[in-house]
Amino acid sequence: MEGARQNDIPGIDANCGGACACSTCHAYIDPAWFGALPPMDDMEEEMLSFAYEQEPGRSRLTCQLRVTDEMDGLVVTLPLRQA
Ligand code: FES
């Protein structure tokens, strides 16, 4: 989420600034990568339920993902709109 905001990537609204309180940083993770990411905690899972067209097994809130070197090549797409 921070990377998208700092690089003017459209489609990540992040209205709550990363507090896991809005779901407007929703993105779809490529299925090949989804299992390689840290698991969701209860707060992210609950907030994700408010995201626009969230899909179990693909959807994450990007403010809850800390980017690491191991994520080099991660493929992420965005929903048509945020909630
Ligand atoms: S920025 Fe609000 S939930 Fe991620």
Side-chain angles (χ1 to χ4, degrees):
M1 178 277 283
E2 289 292 345
R5 287 174 53 159
Q6 291 169 11
N7 291 286
D8 297 322
I9 306 277
I12 298 284
D13 297 342
N15 292 339
C16 75
C20 199
C22 71
S23 80
T24 62
C25 63
H26 171 216
Y28 300 116
I29 307 299
D30 185 285
W33 280 92
F34 194 83
L37 300 180
M40 270 187 274
D41 63 18
D42 291 344
M43 190 166 68
E44 180 182 355
E45 196 166 334
E46 183 176 337
M47 190 51 57
L48 188 56
S49 69
F50 296 101
Y52 177 74
E53 293 193 346
Q54 67 101 2
E55 294 182 24
R58 281 187 70 207
S59 292
R60 292 293 302 259
L61 296 180
T62 56
C63 72
Q64 301 302 299
L65 296 173
R66 179 177 297 275
V67 176
T68 65
D69 290 343
E70 289 73 29
M71 293 179 184
D72 186 23
L74 177 69
V75 178
V76 175
T77 55
L78 299 175
L80 291 177
R81 65 179 175 87
Q82 296 291 350

